[in-house]
Amino acid sequence: MMQLSESHSHLQKNSLFNSMNRFIGAVNNMDQTVMVPSLLRDVPLEEEREVAAPKSSGNSDIEDGDMYSYYQLLKSIRCEIEWGVMRAGEAEKRKESRAPISRLDSEEEDSEVSSEEDEDNLQKQFQFHMTGLHGVLSKLTQQANTLTKRYKQEIGIGGY
């Protein structure tokens, strides 16, 4: 019985649910620690290995590369995890409603693929995305913890 619970806890450690909880906990800790977020403005990201700049061309706030932009990014991602990404889902529905008829015809031709191949493909896609999401959440958790530590260093608390 003890062996079963030990292996179970090891597997649960790598679950997506636990990864999300660790990230949310790290961001909550960051949010509680950072009492004056404006102090993070113009504080450069000195330790690029610990807090690597995301390669997103669409978000100009992140391109600034200061700790405040990371603080806002991490809080925004936490909110999306907790409440969902409704705007992205609405945009996707709009795109689908405007789909040309020829696209629907090509989908019918593709439906000739066997259901077994579909199931295999779906399982592989799911595993691929789960692995990627777990990795991203781990990195974001590390970034939240690093930001919290750096904030404490900047204001001189916590024995740093």
Side-chain angles (χ1 to χ4, degrees):
M1 183 76 174
M2 184 62 135
Q3 290 176 339
L4 180 63
S5 65
E6 287 175 7
S7 65
H8 230 311
S9 68
H10 174 68
L11 293 174
Q12 281 185 326
K13 180 182 176 186
N14 293 322
S15 78
L16 180 60
F17 182 73
N18 286 332
S19 293
M20 287 189 294
N21 281 334
R22 280 192 297 273
F23 169 71
I24 290 169
V27 174
N28 287 342
N29 182 44
M30 174 192 75
D31 205 16
Q32 290 172 356
T33 302
V34 178
M35 300 302 276
V36 185
S38 62
L39 290 177
L40 298 172
R41 288 194 189 275
D42 301 324
V43 176
L45 296 170
E46 296 169 3
E47 302 168 19
E48 288 193 23
R49 278 180 275 142
E50 290 185 25
V51 182
K55 308 293 185 211
S56 172
S57 60
N59 194 341
S60 61
D61 292 341
I62 302 308
E63 291 171 3
D64 295 343
D66 65 357
M67 287 178 51
Y68 183 78
S69 62
Y70 269 93
Y71 175 80
Q72 293 298 327
L73 172 72
L74 293 166
K75 285 182 58 170
S76 171
I77 292 171
R78 177 193 61 190
C79 185
E80 288 179 5
I81 288 174
E82 290 178 331
W83 298 102
V85 189
M86 294 176 67
R87 290 185 184 138
E90 291 171 3
E92 194 63 35
K93 287 179 185 176
R94 287 184 192 145
K95 286 181 185 178
E96 289 176 6
S97 67
R98 296 180 193 160
I101 295 173
S102 62
R103 180 178 156 210
L104 297 174
D105 291 340
S106 68
E107 287 176 3
E108 287 177 15
E109 292 172 13
D110 292 341
S111 68
E112 295 176 11
V113 177
S114 74
S115 63
E116 187 176 309
E117 289 175 359
D118 284 346
E119 289 175 14
D120 262 0
N121 192 23
L122 287 174
Q123 184 178 11
K124 287 177 184 176
Q125 287 177 7
F126 178 76
Q127 289 173 346
F128 173 79
H129 289 291
M130 286 287 289
T131 301
L133 187 55
H134 186 275
V136 168
L137 284 169
S138 295
K139 289 177 184 176
L140 289 170
T141 301
Q142 183 180 23
Q143 288 179 350
N145 290 333
T146 299
L147 192 142
T148 303
K149 178 182 170 186
R150 294 260 329 272
Y151 177 80
K152 288 179 178 180
Q153 289 173 339
E154 290 294 321
I155 63 170
I157 63 168
Y160 289 101

